[in-house]
Amino acid sequence: MNKFFKCLAVVATLFATATASAQEDPSKHTVIIEPFSKSPLVTYTATDNVRSAVISGLAEVNRFHIVDATSDARLKALFDGKDYEDVITESNWQEQSTAAYQAINADRLLKGQVELYDLDCKVNYNGDLVYYCMVNFTLQLFDITNGTLIGSKSYKYNELSLSNYDEAFNNCLKKISGFHNGITKVKPDMLAFCNEHFKVNTYILELGDADKKGNITDLWISGGEEMGFLKGSIFAVYKEKKIGPKVAREKIGEIVAEEVLEGLTRCKVSKKEAPVIQQEFQNGTQLIIELDRQRGDGFNNFASGFLGL
């Protein structure tokens, strides 16, 4: 890159200093995950395994800090060494959770209920036995600070095995956690849950390299490994637009994480959208970067507009 293009990036950074400094770095929520409840016909073992799979999937996304209510030493101390389920009831959960919030700075509570754990066996057209497992459960996310329900989502899984019931159940657990047939799924349900209820907003730190026409090819945003960003993470770029007394968001493009470090991430910008994002940034427009999805999750041919992709 010649000196002219380097100067362009430096000037752009100076223009945006005031805007960037006014925006906050991304941060994580802290979520207490309760022991899951169950319907009468569901076993405790199945319930605990489903909960473990949910926690595994959420931990893989790495969107928030997880506090396991069944094992966290801080909660044990708060409840005088008693088990979480011996202290928390349907009538006092908000009061007790608020106490936990004050003690360990948690601001979200995740409840779960396993409604169905059913096993079945059928004979296929080859005369072989096929073992089926059906698992239904619901997740509820609460704001501890005020006790309100943020969101609720029900899940249904039906997996099979040609070997036994245990394998069929394990296949359900793998799918819940996002690990199935030996690979991590592009969009597991736990990732979708996090994308809906734990959105990450950040901002552009500075513009990066420019092509021969002076248009940027990449840029740096605040937040990185500590926020669960991955190479291939896709971010939507919004600008705030004032309409009367209200402020609306207008999407002006998308960027893709190329290099993820601690505290910052370098993102590729498409040829088509680079001039718009660059101009708005240099004008000092308040741009909001929102983590949207992972590459492969509805990505289609988006990468074709990027240099070197």
Side-chain angles (χ1 to χ4, degrees):
M1 183 174 67
N2 61 37
K3 292 182 180 180
F4 173 74
F5 296 129
K6 287 183 179 178
C7 290
L8 277 179
V10 172
V11 171
T13 303
L14 293 175
F15 268 110
T17 299
T19 302
S21 62
Q23 293 177 269
E24 295 182 356
D25 290 327
S27 59
K28 287 183 176 181
H29 292 281
T30 297
V31 183
I32 299 175
I33 302 182
E34 283 194 340
F36 283 10
S37 60
K38 68 181 189 66
S39 62
L41 296 181
V42 177
T43 66
Y44 285 103
T45 300
T47 302
D48 290 342
N49 277 301
V50 169
R51 179 178 181 273
S52 294
V54 168
I55 292 177
S56 176
L58 294 174
E60 184 68 26
V61 179
N62 192 23
R63 194 69 57 82
F64 52 81
H65 300 298
I66 293 176
V67 177
D68 187 340
T70 64
S71 60
D72 188 81
R74 295 166 298 177
L75 290 180
K76 286 277 189 180
L78 181 66
F79 300 144
D80 297 323
K82 296 179 182 178
D83 289 336
Y84 186 92
E85 50 265 53
D86 293 331
V87 177
I88 303 295
T89 66
E90 283 299 317
S91 61
N92 75 358
W93 74 264
Q94 186 178 343
E95 175 188 350
Q96 293 289 354
S97 295
T98 300
Y101 161 69
Q102 294 171 344
I104 63 176
N105 201 31
D107 57 351
R108 296 290 185 268
L109 180 73
L110 185 67
K111 290 172 169 283
Q113 180 175 22
V114 182
E115 297 99 358
L116 177 67
Y117 168 67
D118 189 35
L119 303 174
D120 194 11
C121 184
K122 298 179 180 179
V123 178
N124 66 12
Y125 60 90
N126 287 328
D128 300 320
L129 288 176
V130 181
Y131 301 88
Y132 293 89
C133 179
M134 289 159 282
V135 174
N136 296 355
F137 66 92
T138 299
L139 297 180
Q140 289 184 309
L141 183 67
F142 291 87
D143 185 332
I144 292 177
T145 61
N146 56 29
T148 59
L149 176 66
I150 296 174
S152 178
K153 178 71 175 178
S154 294
Y155 300 92
K156 295 182 179 181
Y157 298 89
N158 188 351
E159 295 296 314
L160 59 83
S161 167
L162 297 177
S163 301
N164 51 59
Y165 290 122
D166 287 343
E167 184 174 88
F169 182 43
N170 282 331
N171 288 338
C172 284
L173 298 178
K174 289 177 182 178
K175 200 165 187 180
I176 292 169
S177 65
F179 189 86
H180 196 50
N181 293 332
I183 60 172
T184 302
K185 291 177 68 65
V186 171
K187 188 180 179 182
D189 288 331
M190 295 306 102
L191 174 58
F193 183 84
C194 290
N195 284 344
E196 181 176 358
H197 299 300
F198 294 91
K199 295 185 181 297
V200 178
N201 290 332
T202 184
Y203 60 93
I204 298 174
L205 289 169
E206 67 176 41
L207 304 180
D209 293 334
D211 61 20
K212 294 180 180 180
K213 294 182 179 180
N215 294 322
I216 57 168
T217 58
D218 58 11
L219 53 81
W220 291 88
I221 64 173
S222 179
E225 294 173 344
E226 81 288 351
M227 292 303 302
F229 297 170
L230 302 171
K231 182 176 181 179
S233 292
I234 302 172
F235 301 84
V237 182
Y238 296 93
K239 74 172 182 177
E240 291 191 342
K241 185 177 181 181
K242 190 171 183 181
I243 304 175
K246 297 185 177 182
V247 177
R249 284 186 178 186
E250 178 185 348
K251 186 175 180 179
I252 62 172
E254 291 183 338
I255 56 179
V256 180
E258 180 68 16
E259 181 181 2
V260 183
L261 306 174
E262 186 72 21
L264 68 163
T265 298
R266 182 172 64 86
C267 297
K268 284 286 188 179
V269 188
S270 72
K271 295 178 183 178
K272 180 180 179 181
E273 296 169 345
V276 177
I277 295 173
Q278 181 174 348
Q279 187 63 53
E280 294 290 352
F281 183 79
Q282 291 173 341
N283 289 342
T285 304
Q286 176 118 331
L287 298 180
I288 300 167
I289 312 300
E290 184 175 282
L291 179 58
D292 190 37
R293 61 193 189 277
Q294 285 298 115
R295 173 176 285 168
D297 170 18
F299 195 74
N300 295 326
N301 295 320
F302 180 61
S304 61
F306 286 82
L307 295 174
L309 294 180

